[in-house]
Amino acid sequence: MPVSVSELTRELKELIAALDRRVGRVEQAGEAEIARDAAALRAKAVKRLAELANHSAATAGDSGDAP
């Protein structure tokens, strides 16, 4: 079942917020790798959110008249 743009946007924002709340535990083994993975995931989520916003803005601005 396809996910709507608004649902995907909401879920991406939730993911970003959850990653921002995450507190690293430097005493745990593997934490540096987990922190890098979390940062990479956050960057991908932010990029995808921007792509969705740009697509939505382009779609909303499209009057249907081709130049």
Side-chain angles (χ1 to χ4, degrees):
M1 180 163 109
V3 177
S4 70
V5 172
S6 61
E7 180 69 13
L8 182 56
T9 297
R10 184 186 62 77
E11 290 180 8
L12 285 169
K13 287 179 179 179
E14 286 180 12
L15 173 63
I16 292 165
L19 290 169
D20 287 345
R21 286 190 304 270
R22 186 180 180 283
V23 176
R25 294 185 170 78
V26 294
E27 69 278 1
Q28 290 184 342
E31 180 60 28
E33 184 178 356
I34 292 168
R36 280 191 302 273
D37 290 347
L41 179 58
R42 186 187 188 285
K44 287 180 182 180
V46 168
K47 180 180 177 185
R48 182 65 177 129
L49 195 57
E51 289 170 353
L52 289 171
N54 288 338
H55 176 74
S56 293
T59 303
D62 184 9
S63 64
D65 296 327

